[in-house]
Amino acid sequence: MTDQTQEHRFPCSRCGASLRFRPGQREMVCDWCGHVQPIGPGDARAPGRQPDAGPADPALQWDAAHKAPELAEIPLERGLHLDRDGGDIVHEVRTLSCPNCGARVDLDDTHHASACPFCATPVVTDTGATRRIKPQAVLPFRLTEAEARKAMSDWLGGLWFAPSGLVAYARKDKHLTGVYSPFWTFDADSRSRYSGQRGDVYYETHWVTETVNGKSRRVARRVAKVRWRPARGRVARSFNDVLVPASTSLPQRFTGAMAPWDLSHLAVYRPDFLAGFEAEGYTVALADGHGAARAQMARVIEGDVRRDIGGDRQRIDSIASEFDAETFKHILLPIWTAAYRYNGRSFRFVVNGQSGRVMGERPWSAWKIAGAAVAALVALAIILYFTR
């Protein structure tokens, strides 16, 4: 049996007004009377970053040798067959659907209409109750709206060839919306067999004739050659928390620019963390997210194979991988977002609610570009004049 749609309210124990989560703290605050109320147990500490990992290898962000016991990992097969066994990992939610970018914003019983936090399109389409996988973890906001606004202003102020007054225009009465964006994480143990070739570079000396100042002479040249020999072997790799966006409301360049995320601060999901913020529903099915995760894993496995083959160059003929102990989580990551219109066009930007990294769309000033081009031509003309 699925859970019924739940209404989460957080009244202040002192005055009855609504509490909201305070970014960077494990507490909720009442904007009306200032009362502060702490939130339950501490963070579920996940393991730290691997030494050889980084943004270039999103599938290798975390040490797979340890698990955070407080965070629930769900067997992948169970998630892929919710029709057979949904149980306590699903619930029913109501969402608003954006007709422009496709975002879905989860609703509570007091939220009936809104504007899309990603593209500012009015959102009025209520999709009704939908059966969805519950979030297992949340990465609480660390940046306040004021800090995110400053990060946005600094980013806008550093843009080249942006129209004059753009920063002031974006600041004017512009409210940033805090949104918890959905992601999938995947764990797996892999074993792979491969066949290929190892190439070792060696050098041969070739004598060639060349003409210098009208005279011919013989000179020695070292020519690189590659000696290839067959290579076969096995590699194994454990993956933990391979991160895949579970929404298409933001382009891939946006979600990619938000990385890396420090998932060591993931907390077990509590509705308290969402008080005062929007929560986006996932639109990428678990099966599709799993396919994207497998693609990330395949790139890492290919790197393992190349290192195992060794030599100076490698050729890979085939890789056959098997996966087991596959699990997943549905997690929510914090993003500050805003959309603004300038000269009839819509622009949007997002700020990582944990690190402050900014990514956005920007207008260009045709006058500034033309002025820079004219200035460059004038400078070139002056240089040529004095050179002559």
Side-chain angles (χ1 to χ4, degrees), residues 189-193 234-239 301 304 308:
D189 295 330
S190 69
R191 297 179 303 277
S192 305
R193 293 177 299 169
R234 298 172 181 265
V235 295
R237 165 76 70 168
S238 292
F239 295 93
I301 291 172
D304 290 344
D308 198 60

Side-chain angles (χ1 to χ4, degrees), residues 73-105:
E73 300 284 346
I74 302 175
L76 180 64
E77 283 301 313
R78 186 180 179 194
L80 293 175
H81 297 94
L82 290 178
D83 54 337
R84 293 198 314 224
D85 181 22
D88 59 355
I89 70 170
V90 300
H91 64 168
E92 288 188 351
V93 294
R94 287 176 48 242
T95 60
L96 291 179
S97 178
C98 176
N100 184 40
C101 71
R104 291 194 174 186
V105 180

Side-chain angles (χ1 to χ4, degrees), residues 245-386:
S247 169
T248 57
S249 57
L250 289 174
Q252 187 174 1
R253 68 181 187 277
F254 277 65
T255 54
M258 292 293 96
W261 298 90
D262 184 357
L263 299 186
S264 67
H265 292 280
L266 276 174
V268 175
Y269 174 79
R270 294 173 59 97
D272 314 50
F273 290 115
L274 274 60
F277 295 91
E278 304 269 10
E280 186 186 6
Y282 63 83
T283 55
V284 175
L286 177 63
D288 295 332
H290 178 237
R294 280 283 187 92
Q296 291 188 37
M297 295 178 190
R299 290 192 291 270
V300 174
I301 291 172
E302 180 181 337
D304 290 344
V305 167
R306 292 188 180 278
R307 283 187 290 272
D308 198 60
I309 291 176
D312 300 305
R313 300 179 187 178
Q314 303 83 34
R315 290 174 177 168
I316 298 176
D317 297 326
S318 67
I319 300 177
S321 298
E322 297 178 352
F323 297 86
D324 57 21
E326 291 189 279
T327 60
F328 78 96
K329 292 191 303 294
H330 173 206
I331 67 173
L332 301 176
L333 301 185
I335 292 175
W336 287 104
T337 179
Y340 58 94
R341 296 190 65 83
Y342 188 85
N343 284 348
R345 290 186 57 196
S346 179
F347 300 90
R348 57 185 171 176
F349 74 92
V350 292
V351 181
N352 183 317
Q354 182 189 51
S355 67
R357 292 173 66 93
V358 182
M359 175 63 181
E361 299 168 326
R362 48 81 51 85
W364 297 84
S365 170
W367 290 105
K368 287 186 176 182
I369 295 174
V374 170
L377 291 174
V378 170
L380 178 61
I382 293 174
I383 292 172
L384 292 176
Y385 174 81
F386 283 104

Side-chain angles (χ1 to χ4, degrees), residues 80-153:
L80 293 175
H81 297 94
L82 290 178
D83 54 337
R84 293 198 314 224
D85 181 22
D88 59 355
I89 70 170
V90 300
H91 64 168
E92 288 188 351
V93 294
R94 287 176 48 242
T95 60
L96 291 179
S97 178
C98 176
N100 184 40
C101 71
R104 291 194 174 186
V105 180
D106 290 349
L107 301 178
D108 56 36
D109 287 349
T110 63
H111 193 167
H112 301 289
S114 180
C116 177
F118 298 102
C119 66
T121 299
V123 178
V124 295
T125 305
D126 190 336
T127 63
T130 305
R131 192 167 180 249
R132 291 186 170 277
I133 298 174
K134 295 179 181 179
Q136 282 75 52
V138 58
L139 189 62
F141 274 88
R142 179 176 295 175
L143 267 67
T144 64
E145 182 188 0
E147 292 169 331
R149 188 189 302 276
K150 182 180 184 305
M152 173 202 73
S153 298

